[in-house]
Amino acid sequence: MAKEMIGEALKAKAAPYLLPVIGTLVVVAAGAFWWLWNDRDRLLQKTAHQSQLLSQAANASRENLLAIGSLTAAIAWRDQKALERQDRLAKREHELAHVRAELEEAMKDAPDCVNQPWPDAVFDIMRRDTVLDPNRVRSGAGTSGLVAAPDGKN
């Protein structure tokens, strides 16, 4: 009974303070709810924007992968062509070395006149129908240093 009386006395003394406290708690809870709801909307907008950015990045990544694939194929094709070109050049160099060796061997067996100036008749044949001697006019010694034949034919 004493406890009941004490509880009733506390209720009677606390009743005038209890209503403003409950009212304040309701206002604070409503403010917190409003703030959280607005924060939720802001976060949803931010999430939508980041989802759009992520989608754009995924598309750009796909395009980049396709470009990388085509560039890799182009590089492989160019590498193949470079190897083929190197093989052709090596083959030509080998053939050139072979021909040079044949020529050097032929020069060893050739008579001594190989290193002498050519007669004018050879130069006439070489100059025939060229711009270097359009009129076919000759006077005196030819380019070989030999005297021209008296009849103009060598």
Side-chain angles (χ1 to χ4, degrees):
M1 183 143 184
K3 284 184 180 182
E4 287 179 17
M5 284 176 72
I6 295 175
E8 299 235 356
L10 282 173
K11 283 182 187 177
K13 284 197 169 196
Y17 301 108
L18 197 58
L19 189 58
V21 169
I22 292 174
T24 303
L25 289 175
V26 168
V27 169
V28 168
F33 180 78
W34 175 82
W35 178 73
L36 289 173
W37 189 262
N38 284 338
D39 195 41
R40 176 187 171 272
D41 288 341
R42 186 184 56 81
L43 289 174
L44 287 174
Q45 289 175 354
K46 186 177 178 181
T47 302
H49 179 69
Q50 288 187 352
S51 296
Q52 183 182 12
L53 291 177
L54 185 61
S55 175
Q56 291 172 352
N59 286 335
S61 177
R62 278 188 224 101
E63 291 173 4
N64 288 339
L65 285 174
L66 290 175
I68 287 170
S70 66
L71 290 174
T72 302
I75 289 170
W77 179 81
R78 288 182 182 154
D79 287 346
Q80 178 63 33
K81 294 302 176 187
L83 289 174
E84 290 173 6
R85 186 171 39 255
Q86 285 176 350
D87 290 342
R88 282 193 310 267
L89 289 175
K91 184 179 177 183
R92 285 182 192 152
E93 289 293 326
H94 179 70
E95 290 174 0
L96 180 61
H98 180 68
V99 170
R100 281 185 181 157
E102 286 180 2
L103 287 174
E104 288 173 0
E105 188 65 32
M107 290 295 286
K108 288 179 187 175
D109 296 336
D112 290 334
C113 68
V114 173
N115 292 324
Q116 301 299 320
W118 291 349
D120 285 340
V122 174
F123 282 107
D124 286 341
I125 292 170
M126 291 172 58
R127 278 185 279 179
R128 189 179 312 146
D129 299 326
T130 64
V131 182
L132 296 176
D133 191 15
N135 298 326
R136 293 182 183 83
V137 176
R138 292 181 19 174
S139 62
T143 54
S144 66
L146 300 175
V147 178
D151 63 353
K153 293 183 181 178
N154 289 335

